[in-house]
Amino acid sequence: MTATTSPDPTAAPDGTAAQTMPSPAEGNTAVGPDRAPGASDTGSRRWWRRRGAAVTGCSVLLAVSVAGHGLLPGLPGRMSSLAETLLPWSSLAVLVLVAAALLRRATTAAAVALVVPAVAWVAVFGGALADKTSPGGDLTLVTHNVNQANPDPDGTVRSLLAAGADVLALEELSPATAPAYERALAETYPYHFYQGTVGLWSVHPLGDARAVPIMPWTRAMRATVDAPGGPLAVYVAHLPSVRVGPRGFTAGARDEALGLLAAEVRAEPVRRVVVLGDLNGSTDDRGLRPLTDRLVSAQAAAGAGFGFTWPARLPVVRIDQILLGGVRAASAWTLPATASDHLPVAARIHLSPDPAP
């Protein structure tokens, strides 16, 4: 009896075995060798969440740094001073964080990035944006770093005379330019004293004028102005420049000179004191605390806006200061640009005692 063989239903027409197809029960999801089903979507969502958390964390850190910058420990290389000098510009970081959150489609993180540091910034700097000027005052003060390479001293003098200052302080004088300023200012200011790179001109008599030793060469001075109502001690200073380099914020020489100047101010026997000049630092900078802990910024007390002074063409920081003790500011402002790389600054002050010196 001949045996017959039934054809194999899985065989191909050419007799070879056909490849088995998966049954519907087995599903049709292709599984790669390194990824489980659904792992791609889950990983993507986790990646986005991580990016949102990073933006939120940076936002909170920025808010804490702005609101409590004075309480934070110092960073190596005096970088804390540099950060505080530029602190008003921290608002730009808010925009960067919001943009980063929106690019990652993290709407909650974007809201946090906008609201939290913005509230901290407004709490610290909102008052600076308000106009705090008021009418009146007994004396007008002006200070200006005229730049020793100033190509137009005569034009600079004309601009300064237009401010109508009673007391005028100049920094960065040189042996070549100081006589020109003396001649140009003599008619308006019968009293003056200058030594080294700093000088003071006044419509009121000056007494006890002398150099203040804060550096090996003279970059600070002190004089008593016979002002209405009694003496006013006026200090004029040009502190050493600061730089940003591989070692950080090189403000050591400035801070050392500032400490010597602050010691002179603390020992000052005259109750009413004014410090004028280029201090190469903002009043937010912790390096200026030896002075700012005792004296009040005229711009902060009675100005409008930040009053940035340097560089003159596009000012981004205020390093030229009028600091007051025992007197009150009525108004403070910046003057039009001269041929210097600094803007002049002015303040109108009341000579009556400051209730909170």
Side-chain angles (χ1 to χ4, degrees):
M1 188 172 180
T2 304
T4 60
T5 304
S6 300
D8 184 353
T10 63
D14 59 359
T16 60
Q19 187 174 8
T20 303
M21 299 297 293
S23 66
E26 293 174 313
N28 58 1
T29 302
V31 180
D34 298 323
R35 183 174 295 164
S40 176
D41 293 341
T42 302
S44 177
R45 286 194 298 270
R46 288 176 179 171
W47 187 85
W48 285 113
R49 283 199 295 268
R50 285 198 300 270
R51 292 306 182 270
V55 171
T56 300
C58 289
S59 302
V60 173
L61 180 61
L62 175 62
V64 171
S65 299
V66 171
H69 67 91
L71 303 176
L72 298 177
L75 298 175
R78 290 186 171 85
M79 294 304 291
S80 298
S81 283
L82 176 61
E84 289 169 332
T85 298
L86 300 174
L87 201 61
W89 296 99
S90 60
S91 57
L92 298 179
V94 176
L95 302 179
V96 173
L97 289 170
V98 171
L102 292 177
L103 286 173
R104 291 170 172 82
R105 301 179 183 176
T107 54
T108 300
V112 172
L114 177 63
V115 174
V116 175
V119 168
W121 191 93
V122 170
V124 175
F125 295 114
L129 302 179
D131 185 350
K132 299 177 290 298
T133 62
S134 62
D138 305 309
L139 207 70
T140 299
L141 310 171
V142 170
T143 180
H144 188 28
N145 180 329
V146 294
N147 187 353
Q148 65 179 358
N150 189 322
D152 185 19
D154 291 335
T156 298
V157 167
R158 287 194 297 271
S159 179
L160 294 174
L161 288 175
D166 299 294
V167 176
L168 171 65
L170 300 182
E171 303 87 49
E172 229 174 269
L173 298 170
S174 71
T177 62
Y181 288 107
E182 276 191 298
R183 290 191 299 270
L185 295 170
E187 183 177 352
T188 303
Y189 298 100
Y191 309 99
H192 80 279
F193 174 85
Y194 89 89
Q195 190 166 348
T197 66
V198 293
L200 186 68
W201 281 258
S202 173
V203 299
H204 302 291
L206 298 178
D208 303 323
R210 59 178 174 84
V212 175
I214 63 171
M215 296 179 66
W217 60 96
T218 302
R219 287 179 56 150
M221 59 153 290
R222 177 232 179 261
T224 301
V225 176
D226 187 10
L232 175 70
V234 177
Y235 288 80
V236 183
H238 182 195
L239 298 183
S241 299
V242 295
R243 297 286 187 273
V244 181
R247 296 184 179 180
F249 192 52
T250 57
R254 181 205 66 181
D255 294 350
E256 182 179 353
L258 180 72
L260 296 173
L261 176 63
E264 292 273 349
V265 173
R266 285 195 300 270
E268 174 59 53
V270 176
R271 180 181 55 81
R272 302 186 299 181
V273 180
V274 173
V275 175
L276 309 169
D278 175 5
L279 303 187
N280 271 307
S282 78
T283 52
D284 294 311
D285 183 350
R286 64 186 60 197
L288 268 63
R289 284 181 187 169
L291 279 179
T292 56
D293 281 349
R294 300 178 61 86
L295 305 176
V296 175
S297 163
Q299 179 67 27
F306 291 105
F308 294 142
T309 63
W310 184 89
R313 290 186 178 181
L314 186 63
V316 295
V317 293
R318 182 183 178 89
I319 58 177
D320 301 273
Q321 309 292 350
I322 297 178
L323 305 179
L324 311 174
V327 296
R328 296 181 294 114
S331 55
W333 64 98
T334 57
L335 297 174
T338 68
S340 173
D341 56 340
H342 292 243
L343 292 180
V345 297
R348 183 80 176 160
I349 64 171
H350 296 285
L351 292 171
S352 57
D354 187 343

